[in-house]
Every structure is written in C-alpha cells, then in structure tokens.
Amino acid sequence: MFQWFKLITSRTRSLALSENIPDKYDQATKFLQDQISLFHKIKIGTSNRYAWKPVQTGVILATTNALNLAEYYIKNKGFHYVCLGHFTQDAIENLFSQIRFVNPVPSPKYFKMALRLISVAQYFKTNRRGNYEIDDSTYLAEFFSVTQRAHLEEEQPEDSLDELILDFVVQSRISASEEQSLYYLAGSLLAKIIKRYTLNCPICLAFVKTEQEDPSIQELKRLTELKAFGKLIFASR
C-alpha cells in the first residue's frame, strides 16, 4: 500500500510515470494493475460473513483513472512523464481547511466570506494537522510568514515593496468592476478591524477612512454604495 500511495501521489520525476524508461514504466503500470486485481478479489470481514466495502471501490476507481490519465497524456498528448499527484484533491482540501480553521462548521454566509477573502488575499497557511499533502500552488503573498518578511527586509531595498505593488497593479490591468469589488472588500475588512480592535485614534482613522462624498473615490464607491446601507466604511484611496 505504501508503494501504491507513492505512485498515486507522485509529484517528482523520480516517481512519475514515464515511457523514457520503458522497464520502469511497465513495472509501475503492472503494479497498479495488480492492485486493481487485488482489491477486486479481497474479502473484508470474517470467513463466514464479508461484504464489498467502499474502500475497494475507491482504490479501484482511483487506480483505474490514474492509469487511463497516464496513458492519455503520455501516448496521445506526447507528455514525457506524468506526476499522478497533480490529479489529487489536495489543493481543494487545503482550501476547505482554511475555511474551517476558525469555524469547523461554517454557515453558508461565513463560507462565502471566507472563500472571498482567501481568493483575493492568498496569504493563508496550510493546516499541519490535516490528513492530506500540501499542494504545490504558488501564492501571491505570504504576509503572515515572519521568516519571509525578515528575509525580504534583509535583502531587498526599502522601496522594493512599493515597486512590487506598483508593478502588480500596472501589469494586472484589472477592470473597473474588479476595482469596485476590491474597494468594497477593503471597506468591509476595515470595518471589521476597527470594530475588533476598537480603534479610536483620529489620526489613524483619518488615514484609512474617507467620506462618501470624497471625489477621489467617485468611480470606486459605486458597488459599496449599493451594498453599504450606511453601515460599511469607505476606505481612503
């Protein structure tokens, strides 16, 4: 089972299925086919009473799909090798783990809000106690990582962060509707931060807040005005 798990969750070329080494490829596919045969014949239970179990269906389906995908991408699409670990649902499990990190049983409203924050911010950490592997996704920012922040402070010039933000804004070329959605999210987050930490400093609040009539946010505030009903905060530009 350990060998089966290594092949099914492979993320490196040393364990990937590849026809560049025919003997290794044939050996791996033969092993996976034997696993399918094994779980077809295995009897779970006592000698007098046994039944077909969901684990048998799961292993057979997962292994069959893995073999079919490998054959399709290698023989039909011309791939040099296939890492079967890229077809697992670890990325989805990591996302759900972040959503359930604070509230294990989230309501639909909380799930929607958490999904929105994670999708926009992308600075979440994976749960070390999860029963799945960390996926190989690339996140835009790791603001919660003290190590990376210290590393940037040591090796990057002081104005590098501003340059990175400016380059990202220029290159992304987000639409007007996306800018309004991002501004609405910023106001929502700002309102929660002020309420949670009871911020009363007038200088700080004047720096992050602005009035609804501020002409500098004329184009950004339209979505916030539709959803605010007088309760959301209009963030400064």
Side-chain angles (χ1 to χ4, degrees), residues 43 52 57 61 130 136 146 159 177 181-182 190-191 200 226 236:
K43 297 179 181 179
W52 183 270
T57 302
L61 283 176
D136 51 358
V146 177
D159 58 346
S177 59
S181 299
L182 186 60
L190 184 58
N200 298 319
L226 294 175
S236 63

Side-chain angles (χ1 to χ4, degrees), residues 55-97:
V55 64
Q56 295 174 259
T57 302
V59 171
I60 292 172
L61 283 176
T63 310
T64 303
N65 288 336
L67 289 170
N68 291 338
L69 287 169
E71 182 179 4
Y72 173 76
Y73 282 107
I74 291 176
K75 296 185 177 180
N76 295 350
K77 294 298 182 178
F79 279 43
H80 295 293
Y81 62 92
V82 173
C83 295
L84 297 178
H86 292 297
F87 299 102
T88 64
Q89 61 180 23
D90 289 334
I92 299 176
E93 293 293 346
N94 285 327
L95 173 63
F96 287 162
S97 174

Side-chain angles (χ1 to χ4, degrees), residues 201-216:
C201 174
I203 299 177
C204 300
L205 293 177
F207 182 77
V208 296
K209 292 172 52 179
T210 187
E211 299 297 330
Q212 186 173 355
E213 295 77 15
D214 188 346
S216 65

Side-chain angles (χ1 to χ4, degrees), residues 1 4 8 32 35-44 51-66:
M1 291 306 302
W4 174 86
I8 293 296
L32 293 177
Q35 290 297 106
I36 296 175
S37 177
L38 171 63
F39 276 84
H40 267 297
K41 298 176 181 179
I42 195 172
K43 297 179 181 179
I44 302 177
W52 183 270
K53 298 295 183 179
V55 64
Q56 295 174 259
T57 302
V59 171
I60 292 172
L61 283 176
T63 310
T64 303
N65 288 336

Side-chain angles (χ1 to χ4, degrees), residues 120-125 138-145 148 161:
V120 173
Q122 295 189 40
Y123 52 63
F124 56 92
K125 290 282 189 179
T138 302
Y139 305 126
L140 296 178
E142 287 285 348
F143 292 130
F144 288 166
S145 174
Q148 291 192 10
L161 181 60

